[in-house]
Amino acid sequence: MTRILTVTPSQPEPQPIAEAATCLKGGGLVAFPTETVYGLGVSALDAAAVRRLFAAKGRPATDPLIVHVASARDIAPLVAGQVPEVEALAARFWPGPLTLVLPRSAIVPDEVTAGLDTVAIRVPAHPVAQALLRAAAMPVAAPSANLFSRPSPTRAAHVVEDLDGRIDLVLDGGPTQVGVESTVLDLTGDVPTVLRPGAVTLEMLRAVLPAVRARAHEGSDAGPQRSPGLLTRHYSPRAPLTLYEGSRDALLERLGRDAQASHAAGRRVGVLLADDDPFDAPGVIRPPLGPASDAAAMAARLYAALRELDAAGVDEIFARAPPATGGLGAAIVDRLRRAAAGRVVHCG
Ligand code: TXA
Ligand code: MG
């Protein structure tokens, strides 16, 4: 039985927070909102509980988890040695949607790091996540609260859809703000490297850390896995998705033609377009995503839109890349490329 407790996102009530903290302390699995997506939390120092979490999600044990703490002061016991960049990054971006990969200390179980000698840590900003971490008074390992390979949950209903009966508790704090997962920044190599783009952009990081670079082989499955969760096929809707990249007019023309041909052939078709993109095909399902000029709005709606298309039972999805101009544009393109798993059409 999964219990659902409603909390006020801006000012969470003490009672449900205390219940959720007690559940975590007892080794339970608790889904809670962060500013990015809902996380599925478990005591990060309880190896048996972490194994139950992997089982509940159907997640391969080779994919390491992010450890969440209430404040930058709480990372010391989890980290081996001093990493000089952390102080300035924490001062600028924590609490917030930035995860740092650091050398791990011996108290972090292998189950959390998938046996790596590094640990991913973040301080979430959402008031519910903050209240829960403070009440539990321990590090909480939390992947996104979805079944493995399903889109991350941005509402409590998404968590229930995937995990009802498999976890103990859901704190329902309404829809999350950012909508895509945190930026993951690896500080353990020679050069600080963004392994996963998010709301803290490369440009923002560069202001604090001029040497920072994006991961070289964006979304490639070839070669050794620096971060196993970064397999190309990861953020997937059930239906195959084709991504159209390039100049707006050329990609809309090509996408429109392909979507209509598929529809004419008798398939159920879904499209992911900006709300102001011209597109007229009766019978094609088009969830709202936000205007092309507002990447933050599109990111906030992206995973809900993918789930809506799945729920509508579409056979095929045609998606347009947002204009890749700074902000959350890069994160959206990254997630859509993974969902497309190689089906990318380059247009003029
Ligand atoms: O916004 C978020 O980050 C959300 C919320 C709940 O905090 N969490 C999240 O967790 O997206 P998850 O498990 O879905 O994604 C964690 C990512 C994976 O790509 C994983 O491979 C990477 O972080 N990661 C974790 N530990 C790592 C490590 N030691 N080295 C490199 N990558 C790591
Ligand atoms: Mg995930």
Side-chain angles (χ1 to χ4, degrees):
M1 251 289 279
T2 300
R3 292 169 61 229
I4 302 167
L5 303 178
T6 303
V7 285
T8 305
S10 54
Q11 259 183 314
E13 295 76 4
Q15 181 58 31
I17 294 294
E19 270 186 58
T22 303
C23 184
L24 284 176
K25 286 184 205 165
L29 306 183
V30 175
F32 62 96
T34 79
E35 69 277 28
T36 58
V37 300
Y38 273 74
L40 178 58
V42 72
S43 165
L45 305 180
D46 182 341
V50 174
R51 285 195 293 271
R52 285 196 295 278
L53 181 147
F54 276 90
K57 270 188 63 107
R59 177 173 171 126
T62 49
D63 193 355
L65 306 178
I66 296 171
V67 178
H68 297 65
V69 292
S71 123
R73 283 187 301 278
D74 302 327
I75 77 170
L78 306 168
V79 178
Q82 291 285 324
V83 179
E85 294 92 342
V86 172
E87 196 179 326
L89 289 167
R92 173 68 185 79
F93 299 112
W94 279 352
L98 176 66
T99 295
L100 299 180
V101 175
L102 299 165
R104 69 148 161 161
S105 77
I107 72 161
V108 183
D110 280 342
E111 281 79 357
V112 169
T113 68
L116 297 174
D117 52 10
T118 59
V119 59
I121 306 180
R122 110 173 168 93
V123 178
H126 196 293
V128 173
Q130 275 288 326
L132 180 61
L133 290 168
R134 286 178 197 284
M138 63 184 184
V140 171
S144 49
N146 51 289
L147 279 175
F148 180 66
S149 93
R150 296 273 295 141
S152 291
T154 53
R155 300 157 188 212
H158 299 161
V159 178
V160 173
E161 193 174 286
D162 280 14
L163 297 173
D164 192 22
R166 305 170 75 96
I167 64 176
D168 297 295
L169 201 76
V170 181
L171 287 176
D172 180 353
T176 63
Q177 274 176 0
V178 177
V180 293
E181 305 84 348
S182 62
T183 305
V184 177
L185 175 62
D186 185 357
L187 293 176
T188 65
D190 296 335
V191 180
T193 303
V194 171
L195 301 178
R196 180 174 74 182
V200 175
T201 63
L202 205 55
E203 296 73 31
M204 291 160 72
L205 289 169
R206 204 160 271 147
V208 176
L209 211 59
V212 70
R213 64 167 185 210
R215 186 162 165 269
H217 299 291
E218 193 70 20
S220 165
D221 278 354
Q225 281 297 309
R226 187 80 192 88
S227 187
L230 299 170
L231 291 169
T232 48
R233 188 165 171 72
H234 189 62
Y235 301 87
S236 342
R238 289 193 185 95
L241 179 149
T242 307
L243 177 63
Y244 293 75
E245 298 190 19
S247 73
R248 175 176 183 269
D249 290 349
L251 77 79
L252 288 179
E253 204 272 323
R254 179 74 193 278
L255 184 157
R257 213 167 357 114
D258 291 354
Q260 297 204 25
S262 178
H263 181 63
R267 286 189 282 273
R268 267 178 96 76
V269 170
V271 292
L272 282 179
L273 297 168
D275 293 352
D276 47 338
D277 287 336
F279 181 80
D280 185 29
V284 169
I285 299 162
R286 178 184 183 174
L289 208 53
S293 60
D294 190 349
M298 292 179 79
R301 289 271 317 144
L302 178 66
Y303 289 141
L306 287 173
R307 282 175 181 264
E308 280 164 41
L309 292 175
D310 271 348
V314 300
D315 302 309
E316 221 176 334
I317 300 170
F318 300 86
R320 73 102 100 194
T325 45
L328 277 153
I332 298 173
V333 171
D334 170 78
R335 304 314 190 273
L336 285 173
R337 281 188 187 152
R338 295 173 202 281
R343 285 177 303 271
V344 178
V345 178
H346 298 276
C347 313

